[in-house]
């Protein structure tokens, strides 16, 4: 039976799962950026790669995608889950806390980039409508590519990571009105654009308001009921139902499914089930984003690049250069050093995944000349393809600039003055660095204190938020805004230093939560009496891990062993909590 005689999408699903099963472990073993890997594989197995030879070699049909539309549906699901994950990161409280960067820096970046790129597009003979659409959509960067890079490098919690995330957040918010604008511009009615936009905006506000109002009263009780049943399958089903259900509702109301997915994420972000949902959806998001990037790679026609050996590379360089220069200036104005501003500008210079949706929509509405639209899709695809290696170059360039110019003192002062809701990590050895990396991965701001000057110098060269000092000094703690911190973590292994730190912190801030590492139970008891909220003896975790190994050897079932160890951990830790 021919591959394409199989049920709809079955061949594509099997081929993709086979590629993902081989590709993902291979990329992880070779430390290759997965985005780059999926883009490259898409180019190889796509219709412009080996897929174009299926007529002469029919057996290739089982190993390639001969039509790009074969994976279009899966790619759209990838974007939907991307928007859902962004919504989870975009709680109302977090947006408000980051409002200066999101709505200040993000708004300026999109506005200035769109104005510049749109003006150039108009100068090249495009219509006003086409130039507006191209300017706006090319001002966006790739959330998937950049977030993947920041997560891999554990930089989400750094000033550069926060600034970059804020720009991406505003761009993601701006996607929705851009989709509405494209739909309005594509209408052939005689009504004015302003009137049509006003009607669309009113309909959107009413729809979003209703979904948010009703959903906020349905989602939490529903998740509570499912969580009480302790059935992970039901929890996963409700998560998928919420995501796709809200997406379908917004589409039925004349808005985009992407908008619905974003709203579904926002609804869940306001509940206590946010982190569990993130873990539940992560495997699906990874696979579906892989499909999306493969589809992007399939749209990159190597022959078209070779046919325009000068124009296409120059266009890619032009988009990267325009956005990077604007971002460098803005990042610098918002407090980053010249080096980190340069790194951030280069990292965000590429086109974004939403260009494939917006330009595809504009092509369907005859807003953009087909030759221009397909050419710009090539430009976006290539810019995404070269972003990972280009970012490495940007980091080296940024380090070189900061080494020569030096970081301005006012930058750190400004960042400290704005800091709140952060964690202070006292001691930045192996344990402290591990805690810092975990906090960064979750986007939680933190500051580290270390008394080893050599280690401080080394970590600051890597852009870690670390300062030299003694955690027991009240004036230093006030300088790090202990009163606005949510917790202090003590990781130093010296008994006297840890005790002095606990006493100094407790004297400065009586109600702050202090989590401390202890060498043994005697050290833990001393820290508890000094005022630590929770103490974790190193010997406890070592003993529990050894006990777990013994349970495994004796054949104790895994769930039983885990429960026993958790009970013992909870009992032991409770002993070292202040009464």
């Amino acid at each position: 039976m021919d591959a394409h005689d199989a049920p709809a999408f079955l061949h594509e699903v099997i081929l993709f799962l086979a590629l993902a099963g081989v590709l993902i472990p291979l990329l992880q073993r070779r430390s290759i950026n997965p985005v780059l890997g999926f883009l490259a594989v898409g180019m190889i197995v796509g219709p412009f790669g080996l897929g174009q030879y299926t007529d002469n070699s029919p057996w290739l049909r089982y190993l390639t995608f001969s039509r790009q539309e074969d994976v279009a549906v899966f790619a759209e699901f990838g974007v939907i889950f991307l928007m859902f994950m962004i919504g989870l990161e975009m709680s109302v409280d977090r947006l408000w806390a980051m409002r200066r960067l999101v709505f200040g820096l993000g708004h300026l970046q999109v506005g200035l980039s769109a104005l510049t790129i749109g003006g150039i597009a108009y100068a090249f003979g495009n219509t006003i409508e086409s130039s507006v659409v191209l300017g706006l959509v090319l001002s966006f960067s790739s959330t998937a590519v950049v977030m993947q890079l920041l997560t891999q490098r554990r930089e989400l919690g750094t000033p550069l990571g926060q600034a970059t995330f804020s720009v991406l957040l505003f761009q993601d918010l701006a996607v929705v009105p851009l989709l509405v604008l494209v739909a309005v511009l594509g209408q052939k009615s005689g009504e004015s654009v302003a009137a049509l936009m006003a009607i669309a905006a009113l309909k959107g506000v009413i729809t979003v308001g209703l979904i948010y109002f009703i959903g906020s009263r349905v989602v939490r009780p529903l998740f509570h009921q499912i969580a009480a049943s302790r059935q992970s399958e039901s929890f996963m089903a409700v998560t998928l139902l919420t995501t796709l259900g809200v997406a379908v509702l917004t589409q039925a109301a004349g808005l985009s499914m992407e908008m619905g997915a974003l709203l579904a994420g926002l609804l869940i972000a306001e509940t206590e089930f946010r982190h569990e949902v993130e873990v539940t959806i992560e495997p699906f998001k990874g696979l579906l984003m892989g499909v999306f990037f493969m589809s992007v790679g399939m749209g990159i026609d190597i022959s078209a690049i070779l046919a325009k050996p000068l124009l296409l590379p120059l266009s890619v360089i032009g988009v990267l250069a325009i956005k990077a220069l604007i971002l460098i200036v803005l990042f610098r104005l918002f407090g980053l050093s010249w080096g980190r501003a340069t790194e951030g500008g280069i990292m965000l210079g590429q086109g974004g995944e939403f260009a494939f949706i917006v330009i595809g929509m504009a092509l369907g509405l005859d807003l953009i000349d087909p030759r221009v639209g397909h050419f710009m899709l090539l430009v976006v695809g290539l810019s995404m393809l070269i972003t990972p290696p280009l970012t490495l170059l940007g980091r080296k360039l940024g380090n070189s600039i900061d080494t020569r110019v030096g970081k301005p003192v006012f930058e750190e002062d400004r960042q400290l003055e704005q800091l709140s809701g952060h964690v202070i990590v006292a001691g930045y050895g192996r344990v402290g660095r591990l805690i810092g990396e975990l906090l960064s991965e979750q986007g939680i701001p933190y500051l580290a204190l270390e008394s080893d000057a050599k280690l401080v110098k080394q970590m600051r060269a890597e852009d870690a938020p670390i300062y030299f000092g003694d955690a027991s000094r009240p004036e230093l703690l006030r300088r790090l805004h202990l009163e606005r911190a949510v917790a202090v973590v003590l990781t130093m292994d010296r008994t006297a230093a840890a005790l002095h730190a606990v006493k100094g912190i407790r004297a400065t801030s009586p109600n702050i939560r202090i989590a401390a590492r202890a060498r043994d139970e005697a050290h833990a008891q001393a820290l508890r009496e000094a005022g630590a909220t929770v103490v974790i003896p190193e010997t406890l975790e070592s003993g529990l891990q050894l006990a777990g190994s013994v349970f495994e050897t004796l054949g104790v079932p895994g769930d039983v062993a885990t429960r026993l160890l958790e009970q013992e951990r909870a009992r032991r830790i409770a002993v070292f909590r202040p009464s």
Side-chain angles (χ1 to χ4, degrees):
M1 183 173 68
D2 186 86
H4 290 287
D5 292 335
F9 303 120
L10 182 59
H11 163 252
E12 288 74 22
V13 170
I14 292 174
L15 178 55
F16 171 72
L17 290 176
L19 287 170
V22 174
L23 189 62
I24 293 175
L26 181 63
L27 294 175
Q28 290 175 342
R29 190 176 302 121
R30 300 289 182 182
S31 299
I32 299 173
N33 185 278
V35 172
L36 193 60
F38 278 113
L39 286 169
V41 169
M43 292 172 61
I44 294 169
V45 302
F48 297 116
L50 296 177
Q52 63 185 312
Y53 302 112
T54 53
D55 291 337
N56 297 328
S57 304
W59 60 272
L60 282 174
R61 296 177 184 174
Y62 297 95
L63 303 174
T64 61
F65 299 89
S66 57
R67 298 173 300 176
Q68 192 175 5
E69 56 268 22
D70 288 341
V71 292
V73 174
F74 301 107
E76 186 172 355
F77 275 113
V79 178
I80 287 172
F81 279 99
L82 170 66
M83 293 299 290
F84 176 72
M85 293 296 287
I86 291 169
L88 285 177
E89 295 285 346
M90 205 189 296
S91 67
V92 175
D93 291 339
R94 189 169 190 179
L95 273 176
W96 180 250
M98 300 175 65
R99 61 191 181 279
R100 176 177 172 271
L101 287 174
V102 174
F103 299 104
L105 177 59
H107 177 264
L108 287 171
Q109 184 274 324
V110 170
L112 293 174
S113 299
L115 192 63
T116 305
I117 297 172
I120 294 172
Y122 185 70
F124 272 82
N126 292 283
T127 64
I128 293 178
E129 293 83 358
S130 176
S131 300
V132 169
V133 173
L134 289 174
L136 285 168
V137 78
L138 292 177
S139 69
F140 294 174
S141 306
S142 174
T143 300
V145 172
V146 176
M147 289 299 290
Q148 180 77 25
L149 291 170
L150 288 173
T151 302
Q152 280 188 329
R153 290 160 49 169
R154 305 182 189 279
E155 291 185 348
L156 273 174
T158 65
L160 173 60
Q162 292 291 293
T164 302
F165 179 73
S166 299
V167 171
L168 293 171
L169 209 53
F170 182 84
Q171 292 176 358
D172 295 328
L173 287 171
V175 167
V176 178
L178 176 56
L179 291 171
V180 174
L181 176 64
V182 172
V184 168
L185 292 175
Q187 293 186 24
K188 306 301 180 185
S189 62
E191 297 182 62
S192 68
V193 173
L196 291 171
M197 281 294 293
I199 294 171
L202 180 61
K203 183 171 68 172
V205 168
I206 293 173
T207 302
V208 170
L210 285 173
I211 291 176
Y212 196 81
F213 179 76
I214 297 172
S216 61
R217 283 158 175 74
V218 172
V219 170
R220 180 178 271 115
L222 181 60
F223 274 93
H224 267 295
Q225 184 175 353
I226 297 300
S229 69
R230 299 184 180 275
Q231 294 181 350
S232 57
E233 298 86 354
S234 299
F235 194 89
M236 184 183 299
V238 171
T239 300
L240 295 173
L241 174 64
T242 303
T243 308
L244 299 177
V246 177
V248 169
L249 286 174
T250 54
Q251 185 185 45
L255 301 173
S256 68
M257 292 184 72
E258 291 77 21
M259 173 64 182
L262 180 73
L263 189 59
L266 272 170
L267 286 171
I268 295 176
E270 300 298 326
T271 72
E272 58 271 34
F273 301 102
R274 168 185 167 185
H275 297 297
E276 181 66 24
V277 169
E278 286 177 338
V279 173
T280 300
I281 211 74
E282 185 67 28
F284 296 95
K285 189 202 75 166
L287 283 173
L288 290 167
M289 287 308 299
V291 177
F292 173 76
F293 283 114
M294 280 181 60
S295 71
V296 172
M298 291 176 194
I300 300 176
D301 186 354
I302 300 297
S303 62
I305 298 173
L306 296 176
K308 298 176 180 178
L310 189 60
L311 181 59
L312 193 56
L314 285 177
S315 299
V316 174
I317 293 170
V319 171
L320 290 168
I322 290 169
K323 293 175 67 178
L325 287 172
I326 291 172
L327 280 160
I328 289 170
V329 174
L330 290 176
F331 277 146
R332 184 70 186 90
L333 290 174
F334 276 76
L336 294 181
S337 67
W338 279 115
R340 298 286 68 82
T342 301
E343 180 185 357
I346 293 174
M347 186 186 296
L348 289 170
Q350 79 289 127
E353 49 272 355
F354 291 110
F356 296 90
I357 297 172
V358 175
I359 293 179
M361 183 178 176
L363 286 171
L365 296 171
D366 295 326
L367 278 177
I368 299 178
D369 182 275
R371 291 173 299 176
V372 174
H374 290 117
F375 179 81
M376 295 316 300
L377 289 177
L378 275 175
V379 170
V380 172
L382 283 175
S383 69
M384 293 170 67
L385 184 65
I386 65 174
T387 292
L390 203 60
T391 300
L392 290 176
L393 177 63
R395 186 173 194 177
K396 292 180 180 179
L397 182 60
N399 289 339
S400 176
I401 292 172
D402 274 346
T403 301
R404 296 190 178 193
V405 177
K407 295 184 181 181
V409 175
F410 72 85
E411 174 195 339
E412 293 186 350
D413 291 341
R414 183 185 302 172
Q415 290 166 2
L416 282 174
E417 286 302 320
Q418 296 172 350
L419 199 61
S420 64
H422 56 293
V423 176
I424 297 176
V425 180
Y428 209 62
R430 288 175 297 175
V431 176
R433 276 190 295 246
L434 174 61
I435 294 171
E437 289 170 358
L438 292 172
L439 292 172
S440 292
E441 287 176 0
Q442 297 301 317
I444 300 171
Y446 76 96
L447 294 175
L449 273 175
E450 176 56 52
S451 57
D452 184 342
K454 185 177 179 181
L455 181 59
V456 172
K457 181 179 179 181
Q458 177 187 341
M459 290 295 101
R460 285 186 73 84
E462 297 179 15
D463 212 33
I466 184 171
Y467 296 86
F468 177 83
D470 181 0
S472 65
R473 294 178 58 190
E475 62 272 21
L476 179 59
L477 294 171
R478 283 192 288 269
R479 182 72 182 82
L480 299 181
H481 298 294
L482 179 66
E483 74 281 2
R484 298 208 298 257
V486 295
V488 178
V489 181
L490 303 178
T491 70
M492 60 272 284
D493 57 358
R494 287 177 295 151
T495 304
L499 283 172
H500 285 309
V502 171
K503 292 175 182 177
I505 293 166
R506 190 56 73 205
T508 307
S509 182
N511 299 318
I512 190 76
R513 182 177 178 84
I514 303 174
R517 164 196 179 193
R519 278 193 166 191
D520 51 33
E521 294 190 357
H523 185 199
Q525 184 67 28
L527 289 172
R528 192 208 73 162
E529 292 173 354
T533 311
V534 61
V535 183
I536 307 295
E538 291 178 350
T539 52
L540 171 61
E541 290 302 319
S542 300
L544 290 174
Q545 289 185 32
L546 289 171
S549 176
V550 173
F551 286 155
E552 182 180 0
T553 302
L554 296 175
V556 177
D559 57 338
V560 175
T562 300
R563 186 171 66 253
L564 290 172
L565 294 175
E566 285 296 333
Q567 288 174 349
E568 184 61 15
R569 178 182 286 109
R571 188 182 71 81
R572 295 270 182 164
I573 291 175
V575 173
F576 302 111
R577 293 180 187 272
S579 57

